[in-house]
Amino acid sequence: MAVTDIATRTYDHGFRLDPIVRSLLDTDFYKLLMLQMIRHLHPKVQTTFTLINRTTSVRLADIIDEGELRAQLDHARTVRFGKKELIWLAGNSFYGQDRMFAPEFLQWLAAFRLPEYELQTVDGQFELRFEGCWAETTMWEIPALAIINELRARAAVRDRGRFALDVIYARAKAKLWDKVERLRDLPDLVLSDFGTRRRHGFLWQRWCVEALKEGLGSRFIGTSNVLLAMDNDLEAIGTNAHELPMVYAALADDDRGIADAPYRVLDDWRRHYGGNLLIALPDAFGTSAFLANAPDWVADWTGFRPDSAPPIAGGEAIIAWWKAQGRDPKTRLLIFSDGMDVDTIEETYRHFHGRVRMSFGWGTNLTNDFRGCDPDGMAGLEPISLVAKVTQANGRPAVKLSDNPAKATGDPREIARYLKIFGDEGRTKAKVAV
Amino acid sequence: MAVTDIATRTYDHGFRLDPIVRSLLDTDFYKLLMLQMIRHLHPKVQTTFTLINRTTSVRLADIIDEGELRAQLDHARTVRFGKKELIWLAGNSFYGQDRMFAPEFLQWLAAFRLPEYELQTVDGQFELRFEGCWAETTMWEIPALAIINELRARAAVRDRGRFALDVIYARAKAKLWDKVERLRDLPDLVLSDFGTRRRHGFLWQRWCVEALKEGLGSRFIGTSNVLLAMDNDLEAIGTNAHELPMVYAALADDDRGIADAPYRVLDDWRRHYGGNLLIALPDAFGTSAFLANAPDWVADWTGFRPDSAPPIAGGEAIIAWWKAQGRDPKTRLLIFSDGMDVDTIEETYRHFHGRVRMSFGWGTNLTNDFRGCDPDGMAGLEPISLVAKVTQANGRPAVKLSDNPAKATGDPREIARYLKIFGDEGRTKAKVAV
């Protein structure tokens, strides 16, 4: 007896669209933390966020129908924070802290909707921009990336038969579980999911998160995805991102203000969050320059998230700096999050084990590793390097230098200007795989 | 929104039992072909079939609850051939032949039910016997084996979480598909599923058969499982089995009658099926003896199914015999079916390619290969060597010598007697894995 649930099947076939963004909590936790500070300190700042496809060989607009993309973006604009979601944000504790979000902020969130977007297709790529109030445009970053990545994955598997699909997901599951079994051999591992923006799809990310929860137990400390954290009783993980120093620098009136921007961000952050969430992202304009000029109080922070330097070299540089500042690295935390996979996690873990506290943010290679899984061997499921970066603030160009020149963004003349200010020391060009 | 089909879920939880045998067509095709001949020529013969677990280290009765086993055996006795099934047997053509089954036989099948069984537990093993009319007891072989193998698999996974189960099947699917991709590289491959009796479970065998159909296309010629052949529009594959020469020999009045039994079987077979289905199974009492004494007309048959000799040595012996009889091996067929897996299929294919027609019957390693798939690394899913053999005919002991002494069955004194009649030439002891 073949059992078909006719009602479900009819419902599925009646989809106007199969939505990718089902909740405004389906975003990275740091977005909400930054948003609260942005609204409080910079409510009038106008920004532009721009989609950047670093994998130029993949012509996204040839793969994804522009109409479908618009339908998904339009759908995301209809989504509101639900009552249950706001109650959870209000009542949950984050990093051991109650009432992380102020009642007034939550009230504002209740009416929040994603702002308008501008989309056009130029030479096989999408030009997608979000212009407006920083406190609104910032919220597009994650859903926009998740939508495009999932639409691309859907296009890649669209013509596969039921059987090929079954094999693709069976292989991807087997592959992830092999990774879990390797990670189990690292007894003090501390790992979280950072894979929302680059995921294959929402349902797949959910499976990955459930797999890590089941397979790694307490070594899996949480997920950056707020919705999955809520639904799975996991910690929501994250603090802040490059957009803060990028906007602060763009708004500065002179070179001195640009040079000082990363520290003003951290100063605002520690005041705003009352001495919690003290993880610094040092690489917006190069880690070497950041460390060389950092005020002493930065060494009192919990730790750093080196995000574009090679993990071992980047970690060593920070450890050396802590020692030079008279701090014991064993009391400090390094969070590695740049394109990590099991090999680099193992290598980094073994290299630093016992010398510093460590945590890993596992992103694209967790939630979008379908390499070798497609029985037809066709392309289209390999991850690409897609980002949505702030490119302007109050009409002024925003720049990211990064520790890896291949990850720099911004107008070339502005990049040159920033390089004069921050120097080029310690920056190493490396292939950006994901 | 998590969608639960409440009706289905309630139905599932209300199972008196989750039946293993859902249809009397869920058996090997050769059983039906043999059954028709047995009813026609030997309607009065009484036989005993006995369960034999060659993997004595696996104490089946410690794993499977005797009550559950009885419930499944009892359930199988309630199953009848359905109207659709009998119409299909009547209307389908087998091996290009219409009306393979006589109307009178199909009428008899309509009232058929599996006969009684005797079951007791002795020292951790089940003593399971089927005594009675040959035309009834013979039909227990496949369902009894399928039931015990599936109950054992169910017991092995009973305490696994939802997640571990998901990983087990994902890995098994990935593993099978890797095999399919290797087999695709053999352009003239001819392969069929012989895995009913040793399968992990019915639903898993169905997945395997669908995988081969999808992945191998016309290189997958069919399945021995009649139900799966019907449901998937595949050829039902099979001809005859060792029980025929074993019973004929047991019924013989003297040593000469025993020595002659294999050829009397083939003579009855060719007469009964009008010169169709001419595949000989040479190894019941040793292939060397069979070939040495075979009448010339056996060399006119379509081919042989060497089932217990090492495939290459066994195939070479038969090819040499064909040549000695003045027949061209290129016009003849060898069907390899003894514990084959991808490695041995590839090796055998490459060895004989171009010299003889070849076909592979893939059994246990197709439908029950979960080695390395269990994330908890626990035992219980590895296949075992379980058979149900005819042990008596009209009260006389039945014997199988086989080309592999480890696969011999019967009373030791009888085996010694048969070895005097047939000799021991060419028999090679090999580990019986499955």
Side-chain angles (χ1 to χ4, degrees):
Chain A
M1 176 182 59
V3 178
T4 305
D5 175 0
I6 303 174
T8 299
R9 187 168 171 145
T10 305
Y11 175 80
D12 290 351
H13 281 194
F15 276 1
R16 187 179 68 78
L17 85 172
D18 186 355
I20 292 172
V21 172
R22 300 144 190 244
S23 158
L24 290 177
L25 285 190
D26 183 14
T27 193
D28 278 345
F29 185 55
Y30 70 9
K31 282 282 158 180
L32 296 179
L33 293 173
M34 290 191 290
L35 181 62
Q36 181 165 239
M37 185 174 98
I38 291 165
R39 262 203 78 244
H40 186 220
L41 302 181
H42 310 283
K44 304 283 184 203
V45 170
Q46 302 290 303
T47 56
T48 303
F49 280 76
T50 306
L51 181 77
I52 301 169
N53 175 14
R54 295 174 184 147
T55 311
T56 49
S57 59
V58 172
R59 292 167 59 89
L60 286 171
D62 292 349
I63 298 165
I64 299 168
D65 178 71
E66 188 184 311
E68 271 191 89
L69 175 53
R70 285 185 186 277
Q72 290 290 347
L73 295 168
D74 291 342
H75 173 80
R77 294 195 65 222
T78 69
V79 179
R80 299 287 184 280
F81 285 99
K83 198 171 167 185
K84 171 182 82 171
E85 297 172 339
L86 293 166
I87 292 169
W88 183 80
L89 286 176
N92 191 42
S93 66
F94 299 93
Y95 291 102
Q97 173 78 28
D98 289 336
R99 290 178 295 279
M100 184 73 88
F101 297 104
E104 181 273 338
F105 175 67
L106 293 170
Q107 211 168 358
W108 179 81
L109 276 190
F112 180 86
R113 62 180 291 188
L114 289 167
E116 293 186 355
Y117 61 89
E118 291 168 45
L119 172 64
Q120 52 181 330
T121 298
V122 178
D123 191 24
Q125 299 290 352
F126 292 122
E127 289 192 351
L128 178 60
R129 306 200 313 159
F130 309 99
E131 282 189 30
C133 179
W134 190 12
E136 294 180 348
T137 50
T138 184
M139 288 295 281
W140 260 120
E141 181 191 7
I142 308 302
L145 294 173
I147 284 170
I148 294 175
N149 280 310
E150 184 162 346
L151 284 179
R152 178 169 168 261
R154 290 184 185 180
V157 299
R158 181 155 297 152
D159 297 326
R160 299 295 195 287
R162 185 180 70 84
F163 214 86
L165 289 173
D166 201 7
V167 171
I168 287 171
Y169 290 102
R171 282 183 168 169
K173 286 180 177 178
K175 193 172 186 186
L176 178 56
W177 200 259
D178 289 348
K179 293 184 183 183
V180 166
E181 292 192 341
R182 284 176 61 187
L183 292 173
R184 273 182 176 161
D185 291 338
L186 308 178
D188 303 321
L189 180 71
V190 176
L191 181 138
S192 57
D193 156 44
F194 276 20
T196 299
R197 67 190 65 198
R198 299 277 178 74
R199 68 193 181 197
H200 171 79
F202 172 75
L203 295 174
W204 177 245
Q205 184 186 17
R206 189 168 74 182
W207 193 91
C208 294
V209 165
E210 290 172 357
L212 294 185
K213 186 179 177 185
E214 175 90 13
L216 294 179
S218 62
R219 279 173 280 198
F220 178 56
I221 58 163
T223 168
S224 64
N225 187 295
V226 194
L227 180 63
L228 292 175
M230 180 179 79
D231 284 346
N232 294 286
D233 279 335
L234 290 164
E235 291 290 325
I237 303 290
T239 51
N240 53 61
H242 296 112
E243 70 180 273
L244 295 179
M246 289 169 74
V247 171
Y248 276 51
L251 296 178
D253 290 323
D254 51 26
D255 289 1
R256 188 191 167 88
I258 291 175
D260 196 40
Y263 314 113
R264 277 184 285 118
V265 166
L266 299 186
D267 196 34
D268 280 354
W269 188 263
R270 64 177 176 157
R271 288 173 202 278
H272 191 79
Y273 283 110
N276 282 300
L277 310 171
L278 299 183
I279 302 295
L281 192 63
D283 66 326
F285 311 116
T287 298
S288 294
F290 178 91
L291 295 174
N293 301 307
D296 183 70
W297 54 261
V298 174
D300 288 328
W301 277 39
T302 309
F304 285 87
R305 178 161 73 88
D307 192 48
S308 55
I312 288 175
E316 289 291 356
I318 294 167
I319 287 174
W321 182 79
W322 275 322
K323 286 182 178 166
Q325 307 295 314
R327 272 40 167 225
D328 179 2
K330 283 190 185 152
T331 65
R332 294 289 182 273
L333 177 65
L334 289 177
I335 302 174
F336 297 97
S337 61
D338 182 28
M340 305 303 286
D341 203 356
V342 177
D343 287 340
T344 49
I345 291 173
E346 284 176 346
E347 187 189 10
T348 308
Y349 173 95
R350 297 208 166 99
H351 181 87
F352 289 115
H353 190 250
R355 297 173 53 207
V356 64
R357 292 165 55 212
M358 258 183 296
S359 168
F360 295 91
W362 197 11
T364 314
N365 293 313
L366 167 62
T367 60
N368 201 358
D369 185 5
F370 283 73
R371 284 163 277 211
C373 293
D374 185 345
D376 298 332
M378 289 170 70
L381 288 176
E382 73 291 356
I384 59 172
S385 186
L386 190 71
V387 295
K389 285 288 173 192
V390 62
T391 47
Q392 288 197 350
N394 286 350
R396 300 178 184 189
V399 165
K400 181 184 170 192
L401 291 179
S402 166
D403 286 327
N404 177 359
K407 292 179 98 173
T409 63
D411 178 87
R413 278 167 309 180
E414 285 296 309
I415 291 178
R417 179 184 170 208
Y418 275 62
L419 279 172
K420 271 192 200 143
I421 297 169
F422 291 101
D424 196 20
E425 196 198 322
R427 293 173 78 239
T428 312
K429 188 151 184 168
K431 189 166 177 290
V432 180
V434 293
Chain B
M1 175 182 58
V3 179
T4 305
D5 174 0
I6 303 175
T8 299
R9 187 168 171 144
T10 305
Y11 175 78
D12 290 351
H13 282 193
F15 275 1
R16 186 181 67 80
L17 87 171
D18 186 354
I20 292 171
V21 172
R22 300 143 191 244
S23 158
L24 290 177
L25 284 191
D26 183 13
T27 192
D28 278 345
F29 184 54
Y30 71 8
K31 281 282 156 178
L32 296 179
L33 293 173
M34 289 191 290
L35 180 62
Q36 181 167 238
M37 185 174 96
I38 291 166
R39 263 202 78 244
H40 185 221
L41 301 181
H42 310 283
K44 304 282 184 203
V45 170
Q46 302 290 302
T47 56
T48 303
F49 279 76
T50 306
L51 182 76
I52 301 168
N53 175 13
R54 294 173 184 147
T55 311
T56 49
S57 60
V58 172
R59 293 167 58 89
L60 285 172
D62 292 350
I63 298 165
I64 298 168
D65 177 72
E66 187 184 312
E68 271 191 89
L69 175 53
R70 285 185 186 277
Q72 290 290 348
L73 295 169
D74 290 342
H75 173 79
R77 294 196 64 223
T78 69
V79 179
R80 299 287 183 279
F81 284 99
K83 197 169 169 187
K84 171 182 81 171
E85 297 172 339
L86 293 167
I87 291 169
W88 182 80
L89 286 176
N92 191 42
S93 65
F94 298 93
Y95 291 102
Q97 173 77 28
D98 289 337
R99 288 177 295 279
M100 184 74 86
F101 298 105
E104 180 275 338
F105 175 67
L106 293 171
Q107 211 168 357
W108 178 81
L109 276 189
F112 180 85
R113 62 180 292 189
L114 289 166
E116 293 188 356
Y117 62 88
E118 290 168 45
L119 172 65
Q120 51 180 332
T121 299
V122 178
D123 191 23
Q125 298 291 352
F126 292 121
E127 290 192 351
L128 178 59
R129 305 201 312 161
F130 309 99
E131 281 189 31
C133 179
W134 190 11
E136 294 181 348
T137 51
T138 184
M139 288 295 280
W140 259 121
E141 180 192 6
I142 309 300
L145 295 173
I147 284 171
I148 294 174
N149 279 311
E150 185 162 346
L151 283 179
R152 176 168 170 262
R154 289 184 185 179
V157 300
R158 182 157 296 153
D159 297 326
R160 298 295 195 284
R162 185 179 69 83
F163 214 87
L165 288 173
D166 201 6
V167 171
I168 287 171
Y169 290 103
R171 282 183 168 168
K173 286 179 178 180
K175 193 173 186 186
L176 177 56
W177 200 260
D178 288 347
K179 294 184 184 183
V180 166
E181 293 193 340
R182 284 176 61 188
L183 292 174
R184 274 182 176 162
D185 292 336
L186 308 179
D188 302 321
L189 180 72
V190 175
L191 182 137
S192 57
D193 156 43
F194 276 20
T196 299
R197 68 190 64 196
R198 299 280 178 74
R199 68 192 181 198
H200 171 79
F202 172 75
L203 295 174
W204 178 245
Q205 184 186 17
R206 188 168 74 181
W207 194 91
C208 295
V209 165
E210 291 173 357
L212 294 186
K213 186 179 176 183
E214 175 89 15
L216 294 180
S218 61
R219 278 172 281 197
F220 178 55
I221 58 162
T223 168
S224 64
N225 187 294
V226 194
L227 181 63
L228 292 175
M230 179 179 78
D231 284 346
N232 294 287
D233 279 336
L234 290 164
E235 291 290 327
I237 303 289
T239 51
N240 53 60
H242 297 111
E243 69 181 274
L244 296 179
M246 289 170 74
V247 171
Y248 275 51
L251 296 179
D253 289 325
D254 52 25
D255 288 1
R256 188 190 166 88
I258 292 176
D260 195 41
Y263 314 113
R264 277 184 286 119
V265 167
L266 300 187
D267 196 34
D268 280 355
W269 188 263
R270 63 176 176 158
R271 288 173 202 278
H272 191 80
Y273 283 109
N276 281 300
L277 310 171
L278 299 183
I279 301 295
L281 191 62
D283 66 326
F285 310 117
T287 299
S288 294
F290 178 91
L291 294 176
N293 301 307
D296 185 69
W297 54 262
V298 174
D300 288 328
W301 277 38
T302 309
F304 283 87
R305 178 160 74 88
D307 192 48
S308 57
I312 289 175
E316 289 291 358
I318 293 167
I319 287 175
W321 181 78
W322 275 322
K323 286 183 177 165
Q325 308 295 314
R327 277 27 172 232
D328 180 2
K330 283 188 186 153
T331 65
R332 295 288 181 274
L333 177 65
L334 289 176
I335 301 174
F336 297 98
S337 61
D338 182 28
M340 304 303 285
D341 203 356
V342 177
D343 287 339
T344 47
I345 291 173
E346 285 177 346
E347 190 190 6
T348 307
Y349 173 94
R350 297 208 166 100
H351 182 86
F352 288 115
H353 190 251
R355 297 174 53 207
V356 63
R357 291 165 55 211
M358 259 182 292
S359 168
F360 295 91
W362 197 11
T364 314
N365 293 312
L366 166 62
T367 60
N368 200 359
D369 185 5
F370 283 74
R371 285 163 277 211
C373 293
D374 185 344
D376 298 332
M378 289 170 71
L381 287 176
E382 73 290 356
I384 58 173
S385 186
L386 191 71
V387 294
K389 285 287 171 194
V390 63
T391 47
Q392 288 197 351
N394 286 351
R396 300 177 185 191
V399 164
K400 181 185 170 191
L401 291 180
S402 168
D403 285 327
N404 177 359
K407 291 179 98 173
T409 64
D411 179 86
R413 277 169 308 180
E414 284 298 308
I415 290 177
R417 178 183 171 210
Y418 275 62
L419 279 173
K420 271 192 202 144
I421 297 169
F422 292 100
D424 197 20
E425 197 199 321
R427 293 174 78 237
T428 311
K429 186 151 185 167
K431 189 166 176 290
V432 180
V434 293

